[in-house]
Amino acid sequence: MLTLGILGSGSGSNMQAILDAINGGHLEARIALVLSDKPDALILQRAAKNGIPHAVIECAGHRNKFPQTTQQETATKLKQAGVDLVCLAGFMRLVKAPLLDAFPSRILNIHPSLLPAFPGVAAWEQAVNAKAKETGVTVHIVDSGMDTGPIVLQEAMKVNAGETADQLHARLQIVEHRIYPLAIGQYGSTIDL
Ligand code: GRF
């Protein structure tokens, strides 16, 4: 069975959606490990509540950097847990070698825009500020760039007139929660286990 490792820095609503899809019989997979760079992140509490092994990624006091040694340790933890596919779900640090090399084309990310438009933080705010008529959600394979890499699944959504960034984000998250499990299932079925 497809074994997932999930990395997140925030509320973990996408992790929850993946878990719900598994428990609901819509995604044939298991979550073996949840890791977060934020010790107090809700994603870790959700993992604990659901009996999923979880741990903190210690970034040696760096606010945004994901140090090489920490990436190596993260790769080791994921390998030891038997992870086939790593899913970034609101993980706020850039993944580079050696983690990328340990999981070549085996790391997915979800991003709340129609990439390549609006990469980076607060994509929903970027869309509202740019007065975009349309935005969406993208699931892509992670490469060494920021929100680049081959697209697995994308869904477009209209931006409503007068919509605030928060309102747009809330609507985007509903799409995220639906398409991330779908994309994991689709992409996961192409992986040799
Ligand atoms: C999501 O909107 C994701 O696309 C973005 O960060 C947010 C994480 O939300 N990169 P959650 O932690 O899954 O609730």
Side-chain angles (χ1 to χ4, degrees):
M1 188 187 293
L2 181 68
T3 301
L4 306 175
I6 300 188
L7 270 60
S9 307
S11 86
S13 68
N14 278 286
M15 189 277 279
Q16 187 69 55
I18 295 164
L19 186 61
D20 291 348
I22 292 170
N23 291 338
H26 308 295
L27 175 62
E28 206 179 313
R30 68 182 190 104
I31 303 174
L33 185 60
V34 172
L35 296 172
S36 179
D37 57 325
K38 300 268 187 284
D40 53 354
L42 193 54
I43 191 168
L44 290 176
Q45 293 171 35
R46 288 186 199 261
K49 205 175 141 195
N50 288 283
I52 300 170
H54 55 281
V56 175
I57 298 172
E58 300 286 354
C59 289
H62 292 286
R63 266 192 69 201
N64 304 310
K65 229 181 113 186
F66 195 4
Q68 290 274 323
T69 47
T70 314
Q71 298 213 26
Q72 184 59 64
E73 286 162 17
T74 303
T76 302
K77 280 195 178 107
L78 291 163
K79 289 282 181 197
Q80 280 170 352
V83 167
D84 307 304
L85 184 63
V86 180
C87 301
L88 306 185
F91 187 64
M92 300 307 282
R93 292 178 198 251
L94 272 186
V95 172
K96 303 262 184 199
L99 184 47
L100 270 180
D101 295 344
F103 289 90
S105 296
R106 295 286 178 275
I107 307 181
L108 296 181
N109 182 40
I110 185 148
H111 184 78
S113 78
L114 286 183
L115 290 172
F118 310 131
V121 294
W124 53 92
E125 257 174 44
Q126 295 186 50
V128 166
N129 292 342
K131 300 192 188 334
K133 293 219 170 2
E134 191 184 59
T135 186
V137 174
T138 304
V139 178
H140 67 95
I141 301 166
V142 173
D143 64 9
S144 60
M146 185 177 61
D147 299 324
T148 53
I151 289 169
V152 174
L153 193 61
Q154 235 175 4
E155 187 170 305
M157 205 180 82
K158 280 205 163 50
V159 180
N160 294 331
E163 187 168 33
T164 64
D166 283 350
Q167 288 167 337
L168 179 60
H169 187 208
R171 290 201 303 123
L172 284 166
Q173 284 227 290
I174 293 169
V175 177
E176 290 185 25
H177 299 160
R178 180 163 44 76
I179 76 164
Y180 209 4
L182 212 63
I184 292 167
Q186 276 177 21
Y187 188 67
S189 70
T190 69
I191 291 177
D192 283 334
L193 299 177

